[in-house]
Amino acid sequence: MSGFHPPETPHPVSRRALPQLLLLLVVTSVVLSSLALAGVLPAARMATAAALEVSGDAHPLGRLLAPPPARSVIRAADGSVLAVLHGDQDRVVVPLSAVPMTVRDAVLAIEDARFYAHGALDLRGIARAAVADVVSGHIRQGGSDLTQQYVKNVVTGDRRSLHRKLVEALDAIQLQRHLSKDQILAAYLNRVYFGDGVYGIAAAAEHYFSRPVGRLTLAQAASLAGTIANPERYRPTGGPVARARRDQVLDRMAAVGFASPARVAAAKRQPLRPRLHREAVHFPYFVDDVTRALLDDHALDRALGPAGSAARRRAVFEGGLRVATTLSPADQHLAEQAVTGRLAGVGLGGALISLDPASGAVVAMVGGRDFASSKVNLATGQGGGGFPPGSSFKVFYLVSALEQGIPASTSFDTASPTTVTAPACPAGYSVHNAEPASPGRIALAQATAESVNTYFAQLMVRVGTANAIRVARRMGITSPLRDYCSLVLGTENVTPLELASAYATLAAGGIHCQPATITRITGPTGRVLFDGRPSCRRVLDPQVAAAAVGILRGVVGPGGTGYRAAIGQPVAGKTGTTTSYADAWFTGFTPQLATSVWVGDPLRQTPMAGQFNGGPVYGGTFPALIFHDYMAAALAAPPRHQHG
């Protein structure tokens, strides 16, 4: 009845030595009990360990009392499980009250039926094991009770020797001085190994029978109890051997009075049908982003330990954390449907990210086509670096112009090409209009709606690229930006997350909220380790923000480049298309949601010259349509979970 791992090969012992071993075991037990009563156990334990040169911690009580490694769980905003994180040991720690008496009785019946009747050491069990060894001529039974088994698996290990048995017994006595029988049983049930990398009775019930431990039948409880002695051989998936072991446990329960013969007979008639549960990762791009934050975000250093440290990794994968996130599964499904629905059979990649302007909470994230084949997150730039935003970047020159008091009525001749000079391009910068534009002089609103490059090149000279960069920084762009004249046409890489965050600043009336995916982290005891309240500050004058929103609404109106993004209610946004149709964007917002969509070939091998009904892919084509499909459905749905 020993342990969490396969039993050791019996040690042959001479017939003359076995009676001596029996006597030694009994005498040792009496001596250890006396030491415990005398109150000198800790010193005796250390002296014994030193004298016998036993490896390991000479002060094991902390390890015996410490909680075992436990899985962490990542949940969506609606409470649904997105993923579980664990190291080598997949374990769910539960209180003893969560384990039904039937399950406890099954384990005790086969491992230590007298657990509640004997002290820290089961002298009767030790004597019985020694007699069995004398009869067999081998050391087959260690005589370990449940408390000693727990000590063995936490401290002393599997190597069979009298020396280790002595230290194990001393530690068992010391442990019982600090914990009640119920507490020891709970610790044992949460620590024990069940095969398949699964530890603890709760995780075993979930893994082998796809149900919580509280709903195990008597037959299932007996099956798991029988697994403990040899998980590789007796686990519920072991076929006839496993069934025979289950029946052995049931017979033992009847023999010791833990279950009636009628219940046992009924349980033995039930077929052994394990139903394996494999925990899936839902929305892997988002889960990967959250996991990286848990490991590397310095904002969590105080809660979880220094970013990148071994302690931080243990906290994430072994700390039993409960991680609440901002993701709305309903919005996520709509986002995925919008991207795949529009790009099916086109051969292009797409990304979408959507957040709540009032809090920065990311509610949906489409990072690519298939996480298994490419772990580069196109929505956040993780593993990549973003893409040129094209004319989507013009919004920062628009806002900068409004901040500087440049009238919206300011007009320029939009002849194409146009050459301008500025400190960043003293030799001149020639610009062509990429999309159809009205000829002659036009003002700011019309130039924005039609995305006229030659207008914004001249506005850039008035505004100053350095000022536009400062606006972009305040609104949420964090990628490197160089003071080039071409920046007005979006030549520096940014990510959909950055654009969505920046445009959300306008949706929130000039208040920028840091994008967030984690709302709360709770420890295994229920203590809140991190409370991710929205981090927001005003970065734009509300009148400037309102004026910019009014102009950007024209992009989605009749004649605007983003007219396909219209959703039947006020919406503002901006299209973006880069040279040779390598990238196409639409980023837009309502007060409830800000969403950025990118379409292109991440490998830069397929320019999009003819993929939209035989014509080129602009920001106003696939990206605007994806935005429309997602936003119309998301805003028509019932109010989403309140984030933060």
Side-chain angles (χ1 to χ4, degrees), residues 131-153:
V131 169
D133 291 342
V134 170
V135 172
S136 68
H138 295 82
I139 301 178
R140 291 184 177 275
Q141 297 190 24
S144 295
D145 60 28
L146 188 142
T147 306
Q148 289 173 275
Q149 288 186 46
Y150 177 72
V151 170
K152 183 187 79 170
N153 284 275

PDB file of all heavy atoms in Angstrom, residues 131-153:
ATOM      1  N   VAL A 131       5.935  -9.571   9.608  1.00  0.00           N
ATOM      2  CA  VAL A 131       5.610 -11.005   9.573  1.00  0.00           C
ATOM      3  C   VAL A 131       5.477 -11.481   8.132  1.00  0.00           C
ATOM      4  O   VAL A 131       5.977 -12.553   7.751  1.00  0.00           O
ATOM      5  CB  VAL A 131       4.308 -11.267  10.360  1.00  0.00           C
ATOM      6  CG1 VAL A 131       3.821 -12.694  10.117  1.00  0.00           C
ATOM      7  CG2 VAL A 131       4.539 -11.029  11.845  1.00  0.00           C
ATOM      8  N   ALA A 132       4.799 -10.677   7.300  1.00  0.00           N
ATOM      9  CA  ALA A 132       4.646 -11.046   5.892  1.00  0.00           C
ATOM     10  C   ALA A 132       6.001 -11.156   5.210  1.00  0.00           C
ATOM     11  O   ALA A 132       6.233 -12.041   4.373  1.00  0.00           O
ATOM     12  CB  ALA A 132       3.769 -10.030   5.175  1.00  0.00           C
ATOM     13  N   ASP A 133       6.920 -10.274   5.567  1.00  0.00           N
ATOM     14  CA  ASP A 133       8.249 -10.329   4.972  1.00  0.00           C
ATOM     15  C   ASP A 133       8.995 -11.580   5.412  1.00  0.00           C
ATOM     16  O   ASP A 133       9.726 -12.203   4.631  1.00  0.00           O
ATOM     17  CB  ASP A 133       9.041  -9.080   5.351  1.00  0.00           C
ATOM     18  CG  ASP A 133       8.491  -7.822   4.680  1.00  0.00           C
ATOM     19  OD1 ASP A 133       7.745  -7.969   3.694  1.00  0.00           O
ATOM     20  OD2 ASP A 133       8.811  -6.713   5.140  1.00  0.00           O
ATOM     21  N   VAL A 134       8.824 -11.968   6.696  1.00  0.00           N
ATOM     22  CA  VAL A 134       9.470 -13.186   7.196  1.00  0.00           C
ATOM     23  C   VAL A 134       8.951 -14.405   6.441  1.00  0.00           C
ATOM     24  O   VAL A 134       9.706 -15.280   6.007  1.00  0.00           O
ATOM     25  CB  VAL A 134       9.227 -13.347   8.712  1.00  0.00           C
ATOM     26  CG1 VAL A 134       9.676 -14.718   9.187  1.00  0.00           C
ATOM     27  CG2 VAL A 134       9.964 -12.257   9.481  1.00  0.00           C
ATOM     28  N   VAL A 135       7.633 -14.451   6.248  1.00  0.00           N
ATOM     29  CA  VAL A 135       7.024 -15.599   5.568  1.00  0.00           C
ATOM     30  C   VAL A 135       7.469 -15.678   4.117  1.00  0.00           C
ATOM     31  O   VAL A 135       7.776 -16.748   3.587  1.00  0.00           O
ATOM     32  CB  VAL A 135       5.493 -15.517   5.663  1.00  0.00           C
ATOM     33  CG1 VAL A 135       4.844 -16.596   4.797  1.00  0.00           C
ATOM     34  CG2 VAL A 135       5.049 -15.659   7.121  1.00  0.00           C
ATOM     35  N   SER A 136       7.540 -14.514   3.438  1.00  0.00           N
ATOM     36  CA  SER A 136       7.866 -14.516   2.013  1.00  0.00           C
ATOM     37  C   SER A 136       9.351 -14.617   1.734  1.00  0.00           C
ATOM     38  O   SER A 136       9.756 -15.024   0.654  1.00  0.00           O
ATOM     39  CB  SER A 136       7.324 -13.246   1.353  1.00  0.00           C
ATOM     40  OG  SER A 136       8.030 -12.103   1.820  1.00  0.00           O
ATOM     41  N   GLY A 137      10.157 -14.213   2.701  1.00  0.00           N
ATOM     42  CA  GLY A 137      11.594 -14.202   2.472  1.00  0.00           C
ATOM     43  C   GLY A 137      12.067 -12.963   1.747  1.00  0.00           C
ATOM     44  O   GLY A 137      13.220 -12.876   1.344  1.00  0.00           O
ATOM     45  N   HIS A 138      11.180 -11.987   1.541  1.00  0.00           N
ATOM     46  CA  HIS A 138      11.530 -10.734   0.884  1.00  0.00           C
ATOM     47  C   HIS A 138      10.921  -9.575   1.665  1.00  0.00           C
ATOM     48  O   HIS A 138       9.925  -9.744   2.373  1.00  0.00           O
ATOM     49  CB  HIS A 138      10.989 -10.676  -0.551  1.00  0.00           C
ATOM     50  CG  HIS A 138      11.593 -11.694  -1.466  1.00  0.00           C
ATOM     51  ND1 HIS A 138      11.146 -13.004  -1.512  1.00  0.00           N
ATOM     52  CD2 HIS A 138      12.606 -11.587  -2.365  1.00  0.00           C
ATOM     53  CE1 HIS A 138      11.855 -13.670  -2.412  1.00  0.00           C
ATOM     54  NE2 HIS A 138      12.749 -12.833  -2.951  1.00  0.00           N
ATOM     55  N   ILE A 139      11.535  -8.391   1.494  1.00  0.00           N
ATOM     56  CA  ILE A 139      10.935  -7.183   2.062  1.00  0.00           C
ATOM     57  C   ILE A 139       9.906  -6.680   1.061  1.00  0.00           C
ATOM     58  O   ILE A 139      10.213  -5.988   0.097  1.00  0.00           O
ATOM     59  CB  ILE A 139      12.000  -6.096   2.341  1.00  0.00           C
ATOM     60  CG1 ILE A 139      13.047  -6.615   3.313  1.00  0.00           C
ATOM     61  CG2 ILE A 139      11.344  -4.836   2.894  1.00  0.00           C
ATOM     62  CD1 ILE A 139      14.160  -5.623   3.600  1.00  0.00           C
ATOM     63  N   ARG A 140       8.664  -7.116   1.244  1.00  0.00           N
ATOM     64  CA  ARG A 140       7.606  -6.755   0.311  1.00  0.00           C
ATOM     65  C   ARG A 140       6.740  -5.620   0.838  1.00  0.00           C
ATOM     66  O   ARG A 140       6.261  -4.796   0.080  1.00  0.00           O
ATOM     67  CB  ARG A 140       6.715  -7.973   0.020  1.00  0.00           C
ATOM     68  CG  ARG A 140       7.415  -9.051  -0.798  1.00  0.00           C
ATOM     69  CD  ARG A 140       6.453 -10.171  -1.135  1.00  0.00           C
ATOM     70  NE  ARG A 140       7.072 -11.179  -1.982  1.00  0.00           N
ATOM     71  CZ  ARG A 140       7.152 -11.107  -3.303  1.00  0.00           C
ATOM     72  NH1 ARG A 140       6.659 -10.059  -3.916  1.00  0.00           N
ATOM     73  NH2 ARG A 140       7.722 -12.066  -4.006  1.00  0.00           N
ATOM     74  N   GLN A 141       6.494  -5.606   2.132  1.00  0.00           N
ATOM     75  CA  GLN A 141       5.600  -4.607   2.706  1.00  0.00           C
ATOM     76  C   GLN A 141       6.398  -3.673   3.599  1.00  0.00           C
ATOM     77  O   GLN A 141       7.153  -4.118   4.452  1.00  0.00           O
ATOM     78  CB  GLN A 141       4.488  -5.270   3.517  1.00  0.00           C
ATOM     79  CG  GLN A 141       3.578  -6.159   2.666  1.00  0.00           C
ATOM     80  CD  GLN A 141       2.363  -6.609   3.425  1.00  0.00           C
ATOM     81  OE1 GLN A 141       1.952  -5.966   4.385  1.00  0.00           O
ATOM     82  NE2 GLN A 141       1.767  -7.708   2.978  1.00  0.00           N
ATOM     83  N   GLY A 142       6.228  -2.365   3.350  1.00  0.00           N
ATOM     84  CA  GLY A 142       6.962  -1.402   4.152  1.00  0.00           C
ATOM     85  C   GLY A 142       6.302  -1.102   5.471  1.00  0.00           C
ATOM     86  O   GLY A 142       6.902  -0.516   6.356  1.00  0.00           O
ATOM     87  N   GLY A 143       5.050  -1.479   5.623  1.00  0.00           N
ATOM     88  CA  GLY A 143       4.348  -1.180   6.864  1.00  0.00           C
ATOM     89  C   GLY A 143       3.980   0.276   7.015  1.00  0.00           C
ATOM     90  O   GLY A 143       3.622   0.715   8.100  1.00  0.00           O
ATOM     91  N   SER A 144       4.054   1.044   5.933  1.00  0.00           N
ATOM     92  CA  SER A 144       3.791   2.478   6.020  1.00  0.00           C
ATOM     93  C   SER A 144       2.309   2.747   6.135  1.00  0.00           C
ATOM     94  O   SER A 144       1.513   2.228   5.346  1.00  0.00           O
ATOM     95  CB  SER A 144       4.333   3.197   4.782  1.00  0.00           C
ATOM     96  OG  SER A 144       5.736   3.104   4.730  1.00  0.00           O
ATOM     97  N   ASP A 145       1.943   3.584   7.108  1.00  0.00           N
ATOM     98  CA  ASP A 145       0.571   4.043   7.149  1.00  0.00           C
ATOM     99  C   ASP A 145       0.441   5.265   6.245  1.00  0.00           C
ATOM    100  O   ASP A 145       1.407   5.683   5.586  1.00  0.00           O
ATOM    101  CB  ASP A 145       0.128   4.334   8.580  1.00  0.00           C
ATOM    102  CG  ASP A 145       0.974   5.414   9.249  1.00  0.00           C
ATOM    103  OD1 ASP A 145       1.500   6.281   8.528  1.00  0.00           O
ATOM    104  OD2 ASP A 145       1.094   5.394  10.482  1.00  0.00           O
ATOM    105  N   LEU A 146      -0.748   5.847   6.201  1.00  0.00           N
ATOM    106  CA  LEU A 146      -0.995   6.926   5.265  1.00  0.00           C
ATOM    107  C   LEU A 146      -0.129   8.144   5.559  1.00  0.00           C
ATOM    108  O   LEU A 146       0.372   8.802   4.637  1.00  0.00           O
ATOM    109  CB  LEU A 146      -2.481   7.286   5.306  1.00  0.00           C
ATOM    110  CG  LEU A 146      -2.991   8.284   4.264  1.00  0.00           C
ATOM    111  CD1 LEU A 146      -4.376   7.887   3.786  1.00  0.00           C
ATOM    112  CD2 LEU A 146      -3.045   9.688   4.852  1.00  0.00           C
ATOM    113  N   THR A 147       0.080   8.455   6.836  1.00  0.00           N
ATOM    114  CA  THR A 147       0.917   9.598   7.192  1.00  0.00           C
ATOM    115  C   THR A 147       2.344   9.384   6.722  1.00  0.00           C
ATOM    116  O   THR A 147       2.990  10.296   6.192  1.00  0.00           O
ATOM    117  CB  THR A 147       0.881   9.838   8.710  1.00  0.00           C
ATOM    118  OG1 THR A 147      -0.475   9.951   9.137  1.00  0.00           O
ATOM    119  CG2 THR A 147       1.629  11.108   9.079  1.00  0.00           C
ATOM    120  N   GLN A 148       2.880   8.178   6.897  1.00  0.00           N
ATOM    121  CA  GLN A 148       4.233   7.883   6.436  1.00  0.00           C
ATOM    122  C   GLN A 148       4.320   7.938   4.910  1.00  0.00           C
ATOM    123  O   GLN A 148       5.329   8.372   4.355  1.00  0.00           O
ATOM    124  CB  GLN A 148       4.671   6.509   6.941  1.00  0.00           C
ATOM    125  CG  GLN A 148       4.940   6.463   8.442  1.00  0.00           C
ATOM    126  CD  GLN A 148       5.209   5.048   8.912  1.00  0.00           C
ATOM    127  OE1 GLN A 148       4.286   4.302   9.206  1.00  0.00           O
ATOM    128  NE2 GLN A 148       6.476   4.686   8.963  1.00  0.00           N
ATOM    129  N   GLN A 149       3.293   7.495   4.236  1.00  0.00           N
ATOM    130  CA  GLN A 149       3.286   7.607   2.777  1.00  0.00           C
ATOM    131  C   GLN A 149       3.390   9.066   2.348  1.00  0.00           C
ATOM    132  O   GLN A 149       4.131   9.409   1.423  1.00  0.00           O
ATOM    133  CB  GLN A 149       1.995   7.015   2.211  1.00  0.00           C
ATOM    134  CG  GLN A 149       1.894   5.509   2.264  1.00  0.00           C
ATOM    135  CD  GLN A 149       0.646   5.038   1.535  1.00  0.00           C
ATOM    136  OE1 GLN A 149       0.360   5.497   0.442  1.00  0.00           O
ATOM    137  NE2 GLN A 149      -0.088   4.134   2.161  1.00  0.00           N
ATOM    138  N   TYR A 150       2.647   9.925   3.027  1.00  0.00           N
ATOM    139  CA  TYR A 150       2.694  11.346   2.699  1.00  0.00           C
ATOM    140  C   TYR A 150       4.108  11.896   2.897  1.00  0.00           C
ATOM    141  O   TYR A 150       4.642  12.610   2.040  1.00  0.00           O
ATOM    142  CB  TYR A 150       1.694  12.111   3.565  1.00  0.00           C
ATOM    143  CG  TYR A 150       1.719  13.609   3.346  1.00  0.00           C
ATOM    144  CD1 TYR A 150       1.215  14.156   2.172  1.00  0.00           C
ATOM    145  CD2 TYR A 150       2.254  14.461   4.301  1.00  0.00           C
ATOM    146  CE1 TYR A 150       1.241  15.527   1.953  1.00  0.00           C
ATOM    147  CE2 TYR A 150       2.293  15.836   4.091  1.00  0.00           C
ATOM    148  CZ  TYR A 150       1.786  16.361   2.919  1.00  0.00           C
ATOM    149  OH  TYR A 150       1.828  17.715   2.707  1.00  0.00           O
ATOM    150  N   VAL A 151       4.731  11.534   4.020  1.00  0.00           N
ATOM    151  CA  VAL A 151       6.096  11.979   4.295  1.00  0.00           C
ATOM    152  C   VAL A 151       7.044  11.475   3.217  1.00  0.00           C
ATOM    153  O   VAL A 151       7.913  12.203   2.723  1.00  0.00           O
ATOM    154  CB  VAL A 151       6.552  11.501   5.683  1.00  0.00           C
ATOM    155  CG1 VAL A 151       8.047  11.754   5.877  1.00  0.00           C
ATOM    156  CG2 VAL A 151       5.754  12.201   6.772  1.00  0.00           C
ATOM    157  N   LYS A 152       6.888  10.205   2.845  1.00  0.00           N
ATOM    158  CA  LYS A 152       7.775   9.619   1.843  1.00  0.00           C
ATOM    159  C   LYS A 152       7.713  10.385   0.531  1.00  0.00           C
ATOM    160  O   LYS A 152       8.737  10.660  -0.098  1.00  0.00           O
ATOM    161  CB  LYS A 152       7.411   8.153   1.601  1.00  0.00           C
ATOM    162  CG  LYS A 152       8.351   7.454   0.618  1.00  0.00           C
ATOM    163  CD  LYS A 152       7.892   6.063   0.267  1.00  0.00           C
ATOM    164  CE  LYS A 152       6.777   6.117  -0.753  1.00  0.00           C
ATOM    165  NZ  LYS A 152       6.455   4.779  -1.312  1.00  0.00           N
ATOM    166  N   ASN A 153       6.531  10.758   0.126  1.00  0.00           N
ATOM    167  CA  ASN A 153       6.389  11.405  -1.165  1.00  0.00           C
ATOM    168  C   ASN A 153       6.766  12.876  -1.150  1.00  0.00           C
ATOM    169  O   ASN A 153       7.058  13.443  -2.195  1.00  0.00           O
ATOM    170  CB  ASN A 153       4.959  11.223  -1.674  1.00  0.00           C
ATOM    171  CG  ASN A 153       4.739   9.821  -2.187  1.00  0.00           C
ATOM    172  OD1 ASN A 153       5.034   9.518  -3.334  1.00  0.00           O
ATOM    173  ND2 ASN A 153       4.257   8.932  -1.324  1.00  0.00           N
TER     174      ASN A 153
END
